[in-house]
Amino acid sequence: MKNFFTAKRICRAGIIAALYVALCYAFMPVAYQGIFQIRPAEALCILPLFFPEAVPALYIGCMLSNLASPFLVYDVFVGSLATLIAALGTYMVGRLIRESRKSPFAHVGRVALGGLFPVIANTFVIPLVIVFLCKDTEGFANASIAYWTNCLSMFVTELTWIFGLGSPLYAFVYRMRKKGVAAFLDGKKAAPVTETPPEEPAA
């Protein structure tokens, strides 16, 4: 546990949480409205595939962002809990399917399965908050129609941002790690291996 809370991981967690909050607030007017919601911050939900500290970072970032949600109390606790559960699922996928330089299919599987958790969690939990906890069924004949309509809306929204924007983010982080960029790795960058020139034969 001591090795988990390294200075680098704590700093990286703070950056991830701050980015999540900043992106949510930047798009606040269109982040909670309409059939298709503008939530680019959701792309960060792919990061637990690489960084375990992204799990608590996303949870805290989501809680802080939901302080401005129109469904304040329920969204802060229930909505953020959905993000935490989804992040844990994504992290477990990253543990089970390791990064591979030789197999591109491993990366496809990591993104597809890892991204599935936040898509499913938000698709079914967020409409539950909106419709049944906050009783927001305006414009719908009954709560059931309102719930499934909101589920469809969240599914399209999450699918777009998790995979549409999250996939390029995954590729970027992987390239940085492959290049040995220290900010994306734990510990120090490994020194390049140099070959020792053969000795000259004695005369």
Side-chain angles (χ1 to χ4, degrees), residues 43 46 111 161-175:
I46 211 74
V111 174
W161 297 111
I162 296 292
F163 293 111
L165 192 57
S167 295
L169 176 61
Y170 176 94
F172 170 76
V173 174
Y174 174 72
R175 282 198 301 270

Side-chain angles (χ1 to χ4, degrees), residues 70-71 125 201:
F71 312 107
V125 174

Side-chain angles (χ1 to χ4, degrees), residues 5-193:
F5 294 104
T6 63
K8 180 178 285 188
R9 284 184 170 179
I10 292 172
C11 290
R12 201 156 48 205
I15 292 171
I16 293 170
L19 279 173
Y20 191 97
V21 174
L23 286 170
C24 284
Y25 276 87
F27 293 90
M28 189 63 67
V30 287
Y32 298 99
Q33 301 178 27
I35 295 298
F36 180 76
Q37 300 171 17
I38 310 301
R39 295 190 178 196
E42 292 301 301
L44 299 174
C45 292
I46 211 74
L47 293 179
L49 290 174
F50 296 106
F51 311 119
E53 65 274 17
V55 175
L58 290 169
Y59 176 58
I60 294 171
C62 187
M63 286 190 73
L64 294 174
S65 300
N66 285 340
L67 290 173
S69 168
F71 312 107
L72 178 61
V73 176
Y74 296 110
D75 224 1
V76 166
F77 295 103
V78 181
S80 301
L81 184 61
T83 296
L84 176 61
I85 293 171
L88 285 169
T90 303
Y91 167 69
M92 291 307 299
V93 169
R95 296 270 296 181
L96 293 172
I97 307 177
R98 297 291 185 177
E99 297 173 49
S100 173
R101 297 186 181 187
K102 296 181 179 180
S103 175
F105 297 104
H107 296 291
V108 173
R110 277 164 62 89
V111 174
L113 294 177
L116 199 60
F117 284 93
V119 170
I120 292 176
N122 285 286
T123 293
F124 294 104
V125 174
I126 302 305
L128 183 69
V129 172
I130 296 171
V131 176
F132 294 107
L133 296 181
C134 297
K135 308 295 183 182
D136 185 1
T137 59
E138 184 178 354
F140 297 97
N142 55 56
S144 178
I145 295 175
Y147 174 75
W148 289 109
T149 302
N150 277 277
C151 282
L152 178 61
S153 170
M154 286 306 304
F155 177 74
V156 173
T157 297
E158 290 296 309
L159 203 66
T160 300
W161 297 111
I162 296 292
F163 293 111
L165 192 57
S167 295
L169 176 61
Y170 176 94
F172 170 76
V173 174
Y174 174 72
R175 282 198 301 270
M176 294 300 101
R177 288 166 68 87
K178 189 175 179 181
K179 289 179 179 179
V181 178
F184 294 87
L185 297 168
D186 289 319
K188 297 180 179 179
K189 178 181 175 181
V193 177

